[in-house]
Each structure stands twice: as structure tokens, then as C-alpha cells.
Amino acid sequence: MDFEPPFQGTCKTLLQNPTRYHDKLSDVDQCELPVIDLNNLNFGHTEREKIVHEVAQAASQWGFFQVVNHGVSQEVVNNMQYEQKGLFRQPFPKKVENNLLNLSANSYRWGNPEATCLKQFSWSEAFHISTTEIPTMSTEHKSLRSTIEAFVKTVSGLARSLAEILAQPLGIKPIYFEENCPARTSYLRLNRYAPCPFSSQVYGLISHTDTDFLTIVYQDQVGGLEIYKDGRWLGVKPNPDALIVNIGDFFEALSNGIYKSIKHRVVTSPKVERFSVAYFYCPSYDVVIKSCGKPALYRQFTLREYKQQTQIDVQEIGEKVGLSRFLL
């Protein structure tokens, strides 16, 4: 199929060298993430305080939770699925052209060209779209652009509301996010996980944490997301009515370790493709992230500094190290 990236050809050496396989993927137990009904925010102070407690508890104990009655209509979700599938069905040579959607260079990504072993290779493809680029997306894809605009309009407000809820138990003023996370600094990622004939040995997305305050994800019902909790991997059961929210590295640092940015990954399927959409709620590049508690666990840093360190780590050891680089 001309739309598939050349996964097998590119990682041929890795696949043909059995000594470089990582441990075979094994079956994991399934879990249901905490579910929080945001509709209860409309029922007065007592119910709101209950939601604040539930969100903070999920963020500290799980690092992941689900929200229902989140404001993203089923129509928008259905349109996003349809448009996303059409986009990834474009011929591979066309996808790698920087002018396909009139986005910045390297907006389309697949696999991991710097992988030196299978555990560093991701059997997936994605479009990374800065919110500032959405209005100038190619007119050839007007329907896709309008669908993304509708999705981002709702999810961006949801991200800010959740961040303000999470800030409350920490004693951080809600205006913190208004001042430090302007709309232009966040981005969207459209993901496709292709069927993989080596699904017992290759991940769709390798284990990682997110470089942001929080991430909001819509996933289809195929499944494949796994989280690392209490020393073991757990599969997340898809919920058709929910969006998944996970804490990013910056909220863990800001909360002084109270909220957890935990490792997660995506496993592949040998026969079924999987789609998801992720919104990353980020600060401006030069905003200083400083732990709110004392003694501070992490030294202060900026997004720019954090990304530079991540690039160095990926080049030198093949993967992101993350917050441990900034421990005091």
C-alpha cells in the first residue's frame, strides 16, 4: 500500500538481528482509569470541591484519569476520525513533503531514525501541528482544518480548566496558566499505529513521559495504551464516552512531585490499525518551571532548557531521560 511508511525496510537490520530484540511483549492486566464527570462542576461549590479532590487524587495516585461530559461533541469526534483516516491514506511520498498541509518542516514523523535497537523504534506515524499553524493549513484540506479547529477550541478550554483545578490544592493561583500557557504554545498530534507483523517485539510508541503540563487524548476503541503503575504495566480499557488526561513532566515538577508524570506506551496489533489525537498543554519556551513546595525536588528550568536536554539525551543514549536530569 502506497500510504504505508517503509517500517520494515528501515528497521530491517534491527529485525534481522535477534540479539538486539528487547524482551518479548507479554500480556498485561487491563485496568479502568478513574472516571470523573465534569458535569458536576455545574452543581455548586460542594460538588466542585468534590471534583477538585477527585482530580487531584487521580493525578497523584495514577497520573492518568478519564473525563466524561467534557464538552467535545460526538460529531466533532466522528469528523476527526474520518478526516484523520483520510489524511494518513495520502501516499507516503506526499506525506513526507513539508507542503502537504502547509506546516513547518518535520511536522510529519514516523518510526525513529535514531533507533539503534528495537526498544527504541516506534511502529507509528504522526502529524505534529502547532496551534499557530492551524489557521494557515493548506486550503486543499479545508474540512480537516475546520474539524481540527473545532476540536482544539473545546479541548484547549478543557485543558486550562483542568490545570486550574489541579492548581487549587497546590495553592497556585489560577491566573498562573493564563499568564504562562498562551494558546499559541500548545500543539496537536494526530497518530496512526499501523498493523505490525512483529507486534510481539515492536512497540507502536515506546515508553515515555510527556513534556508538558497535561495531555488530553481521544483514542479509538482498538486499545493498546499501557501505563506503568506500581511497578508493572497495565492496559487501559477504551471508553467511548471519555477523553483520557495524563499529567506531564511540568506538572510533576510544579507540584513538587505530588502529581505524577508516569511512563506510558502503545503496543501494536498484527492486523488492526489504531488512531488517536493528543492535545499537549504547554507553557511558553522561556517560562520558568519552579517547584511550589519546599524543599524543592527539582531545580527550576524552562521548556527550552528541558527540550535541549532531551535532544542531547536522545542523541547520546537513544531515549529521553526526563525529570531525573533536574533533580536536586
Side-chain angles (χ1 to χ4, degrees):
M1 293 175 283
D2 66 349
F3 62 83
E4 288 286 12
F7 292 118
Q8 294 190 47
T10 301
C11 62
K12 185 176 181 180
T13 301
L14 302 180
L15 292 167
Q16 290 180 340
N17 187 351
T19 62
R20 308 198 77 173
Y21 284 163
H22 60 70
D23 294 337
K24 288 187 176 182
L25 279 64
S26 57
D27 292 336
V28 300
D29 292 332
Q30 298 293 301
C31 72
E32 293 187 6
L33 298 175
V35 179
I36 297 168
D37 188 349
L38 297 182
N39 191 49
N40 292 335
L41 289 171
N42 302 318
F43 296 147
H45 177 75
T46 301
E47 286 299 317
R48 178 179 175 82
E49 290 303 303
K50 181 180 177 183
I51 293 296
V52 170
H53 173 74
E54 290 177 353
V55 170
Q57 185 177 53
S60 60
Q61 294 182 0
W62 285 79
F64 271 74
F65 54 93
Q66 300 176 98
V67 292
V68 295
N69 291 314
H70 41 67
V72 181
S73 71
Q74 191 60 47
E75 179 183 8
V76 169
V77 168
N78 292 342
N79 289 343
M80 180 63 77
Q81 286 183 310
Y82 175 81
E83 295 293 341
Q84 191 174 1
K85 288 180 180 179
L87 177 62
F88 283 109
R89 289 294 185 274
Q90 295 289 320
F92 177 71
K94 192 173 182 180
K95 286 186 288 190
V96 298
E97 294 176 3
N98 291 330
N99 62 352
L100 174 61
L101 296 178
N102 195 34
L103 300 175
S104 57
N106 300 318
S107 294
Y108 173 73
R109 306 171 192 179
W110 67 277
N112 178 5
E114 297 176 343
T116 58
C117 57
L118 284 181
K119 70 178 182 180
Q120 297 171 355
F121 189 83
S122 293
W123 198 282
S124 58
E125 56 180 329
F127 283 92
H128 293 242
I129 305 173
S130 167
T131 53
T132 60
E133 295 183 300
I134 296 172
T136 58
M137 286 175 60
S138 170
T139 55
E140 184 182 343
H141 300 274
K142 285 183 179 180
S143 181
L144 173 64
R145 184 177 68 187
S146 63
T147 300
I148 288 176
E149 286 174 338
F151 183 82
V152 169
K153 181 179 180 180
T154 304
V155 174
S156 60
L158 175 61
R160 180 171 161 183
S161 295
L162 289 171
E164 292 173 352
I165 288 172
L166 286 161
Q168 184 175 325
L170 303 176
I172 297 171
K173 295 180 179 180
I175 199 172
Y176 175 91
F177 296 99
E178 180 180 348
E179 293 176 340
N180 296 312
C181 300
R184 67 178 184 275
T185 62
S186 296
Y187 68 95
L188 197 70
R189 189 171 72 201
L190 311 181
N191 302 304
R192 174 181 177 265
Y193 301 90
C196 177
F198 312 99
S199 58
S200 65
Q201 298 162 320
V202 182
Y203 293 107
L205 190 62
I206 60 175
S207 172
H208 67 286
T209 59
D210 288 351
T211 303
D212 61 0
F213 276 113
L214 55 84
T215 308
I216 299 177
V217 178
Y218 172 76
Q219 61 170 349
D220 62 21
Q221 300 308 296
V222 172
L225 174 64
E226 296 182 351
I227 65 173
Y228 192 71
K229 185 179 187 296
D230 299 330
R232 62 185 183 133
W233 287 100
L234 297 170
V236 175
K237 293 181 180 179
N239 182 336
D241 300 318
L243 295 176
I244 294 175
V245 182
N246 66 276
I247 300 301
D249 296 343
F250 296 165
F251 234 135
E252 177 167 336
L254 182 67
S255 70
N256 206 36
I258 294 176
Y259 301 148
K260 308 301 182 185
S261 176
I262 68 170
K263 290 182 179 181
H264 50 287
R265 66 189 185 190
V266 177
V267 295
T268 57
S269 167
K271 296 181 179 180
V272 183
E273 62 183 350
R274 176 183 183 269
F275 293 91
S276 68
V277 182
Y279 177 84
F280 298 85
Y281 188 56
C282 302
S284 299
Y285 260 76
D286 294 314
V287 168
V288 176
I289 309 298
K290 185 178 180 181
S291 295
C292 69
K294 293 183 180 179
L297 294 177
Y298 304 100
R299 68 175 177 86
Q300 64 185 37
F301 57 86
T302 64
L303 171 57
R304 186 184 306 277
E305 184 180 3
Y306 198 84
K307 284 199 168 186
Q308 288 173 345
Q309 182 61 57
T310 297
Q311 289 175 349
I312 292 171
D313 289 334
V314 170
Q315 290 172 356
E316 292 183 350
I317 63 174
E319 58 187 345
K320 168 186 170 182
V321 175
L323 278 175
S324 60
R325 287 289 193 203
F326 297 84
L327 283 168
L328 288 172

